[in-house]
Amino acid sequence: MSSYLELSARERLAQLFDAGSFTEFLPPKARVISPHLAQLDAPVAFDDGVAVGRACLDGRTVFAAAQEGGFMGGAVGEVHGAKLVGLLRRAIAERAAGVVLLLESGGVRLHEANAGLVAVSEVMRAVLDARNAGVPVIALIGGANGCFGGMGIVARCTNAVIMSEEARLGMSGPEVIETASGVEEFDSRDRALVWRTTGGKHRYLLGDCQELVADKVADFRAAAIATLDRLQVQETALSLAALEAEQDMLARRLDRFGTLEEPMQIWAALGIAEPRSLPLLEAGPFVEQVAAHRIGAN
């Protein structure tokens, strides 16, 4: 099976990294589970929905985590977040070549409320600490649940985001927007609209992700290796200048596209001659066609 989308978290870890190289910290037999879910009579998972450990990527030792979308949509609770923070801190201590986060999450686990919110904020802090220590952090997004809420912010705190065209990335998920603002504002049943708004192609065009790949494990692996190579010779820390440049880019996006109502209008405003053709393109031809138009390309 080569579809990244269809694999479980552990299957992705087994196929993305060098064969047999992944060693899990806190493996299933440790049964480190949430202390909160059982009190609410909610189901628990033996790993609290995330596998963390050490692996090799093209011969280099990296630290890796994979969220399991099949358990509560990959939502983050206290233990789940603590495992991610521990992984990032250990990567700093052991001077890993990088950290690769296989993200698939709807955000904070509502069952754990404030504990989940604190956990996500600690993950953000740990990502930035790793970058500041010279350990590059890469986010891979290609699961069916997308990457939303606090984990969407975590993804944008990393050095690079790699997405498939089937992936989705955003702050609030489609159902959340519809519930909060009404179906007139956003119809979450319109799957084409959902993908045009939060999907990998739109995020690539807007500069929110640095690589767009096909839904194949081999393509994610090749992109992760190339990105790690590039980051080895670049500054990984988030500097004030980089933060100001990001803020300036967001302000210009808002000024340029803030009055538009549909992603296809944004694609046309970027200068793409036939925006209606973009959803039909495979990842490779899409990247070639939009190369001169995407934000951050120049």
Side-chain angles (χ1 to χ4, degrees):
M1 182 184 299
S2 62
S3 168
Y4 184 95
L5 180 81
E6 296 176 6
L7 297 178
S8 69
R10 281 185 168 71
E11 289 171 334
R12 290 168 186 161
L13 289 167
Q15 296 187 29
L16 186 84
F17 298 100
D18 297 356
S21 69
F22 181 70
T23 301
E24 186 171 357
F25 307 145
L26 300 173
K29 65 181 181 181
R31 289 194 64 79
V32 180
I33 63 175
S34 166
H36 308 288
L37 295 179
Q39 298 178 35
L40 300 170
D41 200 25
V44 298
F46 57 84
D47 58 3
D48 207 40
V50 62
V52 300
R54 182 191 294 109
C56 288
L57 183 62
D58 197 30
R60 285 170 294 195
T61 299
V62 297
F63 282 58
Q67 295 178 299
E68 176 51 65
F71 178 67
M72 294 191 166
V76 179
E78 182 178 3
V79 170
H80 187 122
K83 290 175 72 174
L84 291 172
V85 172
L87 177 84
L88 288 155
R89 288 178 177 172
R90 188 164 175 177
I92 296 171
E94 298 189 18
R95 304 298 304 167
V99 176
V100 183
L101 303 177
L102 283 58
L103 303 182
E104 182 177 359
S105 175
V108 170
R109 188 180 298 163
L110 297 182
H111 306 68
E112 302 193 31
N114 292 343
L117 289 170
V118 171
V120 168
S121 68
E122 290 177 341
V123 175
M124 293 177 198
R125 180 72 265 168
V127 166
L128 296 176
D129 286 345
R131 292 181 55 179
N132 195 47
V135 178
V137 184
I138 303 170
L140 274 55
I141 304 173
N145 292 286
C147 185
F148 291 102
M151 290 310 294
I153 302 175
V154 168
R156 293 291 281 117
C157 287
T158 65
N159 290 100
V161 177
I162 300 170
M163 297 179 69
S164 67
E165 55 184 317
E166 288 81 4
R168 293 172 295 144
L169 171 65
M171 181 61 211
S172 297
E175 291 80 6
V176 174
I177 298 173
E178 181 181 315
T179 299
S181 303
V183 69
E184 297 82 7
E185 176 69 21
F186 197 91
D187 185 355
S188 65
R189 296 168 300 179
D190 186 342
R191 306 315 290 172
L193 174 63
V194 169
W195 257 267
R196 287 199 303 275
T197 307
T198 64
K201 288 177 176 175
H202 189 56
R203 292 304 174 198
Y204 182 75
L205 276 168
L206 291 185
D208 291 323
C209 83
Q210 286 65 51
E211 298 287 342
L212 183 77
V213 300
D215 176 38
K216 297 178 181 177
V217 176
D219 287 24
F220 269 104
R221 173 181 164 85
I225 291 171
T227 300
L228 194 58
D229 285 343
R230 174 173 58 82
L231 293 173
Q232 296 303 310
V233 294
Q234 290 184 0
E235 176 62 50
T236 59
L238 178 61
S239 66
L240 177 59
L243 194 61
E244 289 176 339
E246 180 80 5
Q247 181 65 28
D248 181 60
M249 183 268 285
L250 293 173
R252 284 186 281 110
R253 266 173 40 176
L254 184 61
D255 181 60
R256 192 175 176 188
F257 309 127
T259 59
L260 304 182
E261 298 181 351
E262 225 281 353
M264 212 169 287
Q265 296 175 347
I266 296 176
W267 304 347
L270 285 169
I272 296 170
E274 298 181 8
R276 290 186 179 279
S277 68
L278 295 188
L280 304 177
L281 295 176
E282 300 292 336
F286 171 85
V287 169
E288 289 182 11
Q289 183 162 326
V290 306
H293 303 286
R294 68 182 292 259
I295 294 175
N298 300 314

